[in-house]
């Protein structure tokens, strides 16, 4: 009996223990789990600053593009990534946007703006052909879209199979938007019966257009502040039913400008995110930086705004991913993230290549035409810190053109100076055949030649400003050409003068570096009230780089492209010989001792 009773007690305890850990018996009330809301997702892909790159090709080297980091370039590469992601997300919503600077930057783009302009031929621009294959949802106008004038821009926009946006580009007479400010895209999130999401896309272009392309837009367009424009249109888009608001902005996020305070901020993307409520994300460009993912907290709402910049030239593709829920007819973003994808991981899309092949081939043939023979090899590798013949070639041609144009007129008696910047560190005129691509590689921008009158005092102030390009190096400190310049100052914002002789003392503080400034070939100091005609490109003369004293009325402006003037000079001469143009007139010093 005792044994039987002990066993019974053990059975009862075992049952009790099992009951304590086992699930509830069938039919017993269970504790209700919270119902998880259904989620949907949206992907937005972004490109920017493609700058006329379709093929992965370097027209200046006549070879496949490559750099020290083995980046690739071109819309054809971007297309492959876009198509892969669309296939991966088949049946789910994917939008593709671009943040501007599309139709300028390569000989391919220049050819169809200058040699065979689409406004005259009726041909479809290569960047329209390529981007239409990708089926973008919208593109924002960048500042370089205005380089070739409003008629060519209008023609390109007409050729696009999607909208071009620029909310802050206003008709100068009416004050109304000159281009489409925004679009609201209705997208289906998923398969049959899935709800629809209305995505508002606002485009903002760069106010610097008013300076950089003054000749093309003055009296026709004005450019409003990007922050204020966003503050105007974002609430309007929300009122019109936008569930999600994305801005495609052609402006960096540094909060600084390359020009003075007379124009709205050049790089205000972070300020837009901070100051304008109601924005979910910003795709931005202009600064040519890679910013995979950066969150900026809105100061009013506390919401985090997702921002991303996909580098330049088609080297990267931004991917933004959003997770959303819907309750009582309202959408809420519950998660968002971004990254950048490297186009060197994929091959070029054959459909894009095929669409532009004929134009690419014609451009390659054009840039490989021989224009002259060079007596020696001329390199730009040292042009930033040494007086080199290849930069004097630019200044000589500019001086000659302006001198001839002003002959017999009011300014004929004034000395002509010239300004040039070392745009490229890799430009070379080989000994022997010099081709169009060699000249284009030296002068990579579509600038035109102008001239103004400066006093001696203004020339010195200009040179002092230019000399801030160099870091301060005390006498005796080691000098490394690779680190001699301030990384905050791009090469194109360092100018070299011809027509006067001068020394730049890099041991002295900025603003006190021009220790010798004399008339060419003499020991006579340049008088403060002396007057000079100065040949300069339109970008600089319009205020690009914020150099002092240069923004004034031109005494010469024939709207001639400098690159073409260089080509024409070389063709007319037949021979490029430094003896015809090289005049050493400046040097870097420390306490009067040459640095090199």
């Amino acid at each position: 009996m005792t044994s039987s009773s002990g066993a019974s007690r053990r059975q009862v305890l075992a049952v009790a223990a099992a009951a304590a850990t086992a699930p509830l018996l069938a039919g017993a009330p269970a504790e209700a789990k919270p119902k998880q809301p259904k989620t949907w997702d949206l992907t937005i892909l972004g490109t920017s600053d493609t700058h006329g790159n379709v093929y992965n090709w370097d027209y200046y080297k006549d070879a496949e593009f490559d750099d020290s980091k083995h980046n690739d370039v071109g819309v054809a590469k971007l297309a492959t990534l876009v198509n892969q992601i669309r296939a991966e997300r088949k049946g789910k919503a994917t939008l593709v946007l671009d943040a501007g600077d599309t139709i300028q930057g390569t000989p391919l783009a220049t050819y169809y703006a200058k040699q065979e302009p689409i406004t005259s031929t009726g041909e479809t621009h290569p960047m329209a052909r390529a981007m239409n294959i990708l089926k973008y949802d919208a593109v924002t106008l960048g500042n370089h879209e205005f380089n070739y004038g409003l008629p060519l821009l209008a023609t390109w926009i007409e050729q696009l199979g999607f909208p071009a946006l620029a909310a802050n580009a206003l008709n100068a007479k009416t004050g109304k938007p000159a281009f489409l400010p925004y679009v609201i895209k209705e997208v289906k999130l998923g398969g049959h019966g899935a709800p629809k999401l209305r995505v508002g896309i606002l485009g903002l272009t760069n106010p610097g257009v008013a300076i950089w392309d003054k000749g093309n837009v003055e009296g026709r367009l004005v450019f409003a502040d990007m922050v204020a424009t966003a503050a105007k249109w974002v609430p309007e888009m929300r009122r019109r039913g936008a569930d999600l608001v994305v801005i495609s902005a052609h402006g960096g996020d540094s909060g600084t400008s390359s020009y003075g305070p007379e124009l709205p901020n050049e790089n205000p993307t972070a300020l837009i995110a901070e100051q304008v409520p109601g924005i979910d994300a910003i795709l931005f460009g202009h600064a040519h930086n890679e910013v995979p993912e950066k969150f900026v907290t809105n100061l009013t709402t506390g919401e985090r705004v997702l921002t991303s910049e996909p580098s330049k030239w088609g080297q990267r593709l931004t991917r933004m991913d959003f997770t959303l829920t819907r309750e009582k007819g309202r959408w809420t973003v519950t998660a968002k993230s971004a990254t950048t994808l490297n186009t060197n991981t994929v091959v070029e899309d054959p459909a894009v290549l095929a669409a532009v092949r004929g134009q690419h081939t014609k451009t390659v043939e054009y840039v490989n035409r021989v224009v002259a023979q060079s007596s020696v090899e001329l390199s730009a590798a040292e042009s930033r810190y040494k007086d080199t013949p290849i930069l004097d070639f630019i200044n000589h041609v500019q001086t000659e053109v302006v001198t001839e144009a002003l002959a017999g007129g009011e300014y004929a008696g004034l000395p002509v100076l010239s300004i040039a910047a070392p745009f490229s560190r890799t430009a070379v005129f080989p000994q022997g055949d010099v081709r169009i691509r060699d000249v284009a590689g030296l002068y990579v921008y579509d600038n035109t030649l102008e001239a103004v009158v400066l006093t001696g005092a203004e020339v010195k102030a200009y040179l002092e400003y230019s000399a801030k390009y160099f870091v301060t190096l005390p006498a005796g400190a080691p000098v490394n050409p690779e680190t001699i310049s301030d990384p905050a100052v791009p090469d194109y914002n360092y100018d070299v003068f011809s027509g006067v002789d001068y020394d730049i003392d890099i041991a002295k503080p900025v603003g006190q570096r021009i220790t010798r400034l004399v008339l060419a070939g003499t020991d006579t100091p340049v008088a403060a009230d002396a007057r000079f005609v100065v040949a300069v490109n339109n970008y600089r003369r319009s205020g690009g780089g914020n150099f002092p004293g240069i923004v004034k009325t031109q005494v010469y402006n024939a709207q001639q492209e400098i690159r073409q003037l260089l080509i024409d000079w070389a063709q007319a001469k037949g021979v490029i010989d430094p003896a015809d143009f090289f005049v050493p007139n400046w040097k870097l010093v420390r306490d009067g001792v040459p640095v090199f």
Side-chain angles (χ1 to χ4, degrees):
M1 293 291 294
T2 302
S3 176
S4 175
S5 175
S8 298
R9 281 195 299 272
R10 287 194 295 271
Q11 289 172 348
V12 170
L13 291 172
V15 169
T21 58
L24 293 173
L25 297 173
E31 184 178 333
K33 290 183 179 179
K35 185 179 180 181
Q36 294 298 315
K38 182 173 175 56
T39 62
W40 288 268
D41 60 88
L42 168 73
T43 293
I44 296 178
L45 306 177
T47 64
S48 188
D49 296 274
T50 50
H51 281 287
N53 286 281
V54 177
Y55 276 59
N56 183 41
W57 194 257
D58 187 331
Y59 292 93
Y60 305 122
K61 295 179 179 178
D62 196 28
E64 182 177 330
F65 180 89
D66 192 27
D67 63 13
S68 60
K69 296 181 179 179
H70 302 299
N71 288 302
D72 287 347
V73 299
V75 175
K77 289 268 184 172
L78 289 168
T80 299
L81 283 177
V82 169
N83 289 337
Q84 285 181 354
I85 294 168
R86 280 176 170 151
E88 161 204 322
R89 292 180 48 77
K90 188 173 182 180
K92 295 182 178 182
T94 305
L95 298 178
V96 185
L97 308 178
D98 184 88
D101 273 7
T102 304
I103 60 172
Q104 175 277 338
T106 61
L108 174 69
T110 301
Y111 190 88
Y112 288 96
K114 295 288 188 178
Q115 273 69 45
E116 294 186 18
I118 58 172
T119 44
S120 301
T121 64
E123 184 157 4
T124 301
H125 194 283
M127 292 305 286
R129 287 177 183 261
M131 295 177 81
N132 285 340
I133 296 288
L134 255 78
K135 298 180 180 177
Y136 277 80
D137 291 282
V139 60
T140 292
L141 301 183
N143 52 282
H144 282 289
E145 263 64 84
F146 297 86
N147 285 173
Y148 303 114
L150 297 182
L152 188 133
L153 174 56
T155 301
W156 176 67
I157 291 174
E158 290 171 2
Q159 293 174 347
L160 297 176
F162 47 88
L165 311 176
N168 59 319
L170 309 176
N171 184 297
K173 294 180 179 177
T174 66
K176 295 180 179 180
F179 304 91
L180 195 64
Y182 69 89
V183 292
I184 297 179
K185 298 276 297 187
E186 189 171 83
V187 297
K188 183 180 285 189
L189 301 178
H192 180 72
K196 292 179 180 179
L197 178 77
R198 290 168 61 83
V199 181
I201 305 159
L202 177 69
L204 299 172
T205 193
N206 203 284
V209 175
I211 288 178
W212 303 321
D213 273 301
K214 184 176 181 180
N216 291 330
V217 301
E218 188 174 29
R220 301 178 183 183
L221 299 176
V222 293
F223 296 84
D225 181 86
M226 295 170 76
V227 181
T229 302
K232 172 183 177 180
W233 288 107
V234 169
E236 176 69 12
M237 294 162 69
R238 291 286 187 184
R239 279 194 296 270
R240 296 197 174 201
D243 302 305
L244 188 84
V245 170
V246 178
I247 292 180
S248 175
H250 195 77
D253 65 348
S254 67
T256 61
S257 297
S258 65
Y259 43 73
E262 69 276 6
L263 281 183
N265 196 298
E266 178 184 353
N267 295 297
T269 292
L271 299 175
I272 297 170
E274 283 182 350
Q275 297 177 21
V276 182
I279 301 168
D280 294 288
I282 304 177
L283 172 72
F284 68 100
H286 184 62
H288 290 198
N289 293 325
E290 183 178 2
V291 182
E293 177 189 78
K294 182 178 178 182
F295 285 96
V296 179
T297 301
N298 185 268
L299 300 177
T300 301
T301 65
E303 294 291 327
R304 297 201 312 158
V305 180
L306 176 65
T307 72
S308 181
E309 181 180 19
S311 189
K312 62 183 178 182
W313 306 345
Q315 293 178 355
R316 301 291 185 273
L317 175 73
T318 280
R319 174 173 178 162
M320 296 180 173
D321 290 298
F322 302 84
T323 303
L324 305 103
T325 60
R326 182 175 172 86
E327 187 176 0
K328 296 180 180 178
R330 292 181 63 86
W331 287 98
T332 301
V333 178
T334 58
K336 52 188 173 183
S337 63
T339 189
T340 49
L341 306 175
N342 197 327
T343 58
N344 70 7
T345 61
V346 296
V347 299
E348 293 171 287
D349 178 71
V352 172
L353 295 182
V356 184
R357 181 167 289 116
Q359 295 171 315
H360 167 75
T361 300
K362 183 177 284 189
T363 302
V364 169
E365 292 172 352
Y366 170 73
V367 299
N368 277 289
R369 293 180 192 170
V370 175
V371 292
Q373 301 290 310
S374 182
S375 61
V376 294
E377 179 179 286
L378 302 178
S379 169
E382 298 179 330
S383 291
R384 298 172 299 123
Y385 50 88
K386 285 185 182 179
D387 195 345
T388 53
I390 200 166
L391 219 58
D392 273 13
F393 170 65
I394 299 172
N395 275 329
H396 176 81
V397 173
Q398 292 182 167
T399 299
E400 192 174 89
V401 170
V402 170
T403 300
E404 290 176 1
L406 298 181
E410 178 183 355
Y411 304 100
L414 297 181
V416 178
L417 314 184
S418 180
I419 299 170
F423 291 147
S424 171
R425 300 186 185 193
T426 59
V428 175
F429 289 177
Q431 184 176 18
D433 289 349
V434 175
R435 304 172 192 277
I436 286 175
R437 63 180 166 88
D438 299 318
V439 181
L442 171 66
Y443 207 99
V444 297
Y445 296 109
D446 300 311
N447 297 331
T448 57
L449 182 62
E450 302 183 3
V452 298
V453 173
L454 297 187
T455 65
E458 288 172 325
V459 169
K460 186 172 189 296
Y462 192 106
L463 286 170
E464 289 284 11
Y465 184 87
S466 183
K468 72 183 178 68
Y469 174 78
F470 297 101
V471 298
T472 303
L473 288 172
V479 177
N480 181 352
E482 296 307 310
T483 59
I484 199 169
S485 60
D486 184 340
V489 183
D491 294 354
Y492 61 78
N493 273 347
Y494 168 62
D495 282 346
V496 168
F497 265 77
S498 67
V500 288
D501 297 349
Y502 61 97
D503 292 349
I504 303 172
D505 193 326
I506 59 174
K508 296 188 179 299
V510 171
Q512 302 173 34
R513 292 181 162 178
I514 306 304
T515 53
R516 175 174 172 267
L517 178 60
V518 299
L519 298 176
T522 75
D523 292 322
T524 305
V526 170
D529 61 352
R531 297 173 75 232
F532 302 92
V533 170
V534 179
V536 62
N537 69 58
N538 66 298
Y539 170 81
R540 188 71 81 229
R541 207 282 315 163
S542 297
N546 200 28
F547 280 68
I550 199 72
V551 181
K552 52 179 62 181
T553 303
Q554 308 99 312
V555 297
Y556 167 85
N557 181 14
Q559 291 292 298
Q560 291 180 291
E561 190 179 280
I562 294 171
R563 183 194 295 119
Q564 192 60 47
L565 290 172
L566 301 178
I567 293 169
D568 292 346
W569 189 95
Q571 284 181 313
K573 279 279 189 180
V575 174
I576 298 175
D577 185 344
D580 291 334
F581 51 79
F582 181 42
V583 180
N585 68 299
W586 68 272
K587 61 184 179 295
L588 300 185
V589 302
R590 290 185 294 188
D591 297 337
V593 178
V595 176
F596 297 103

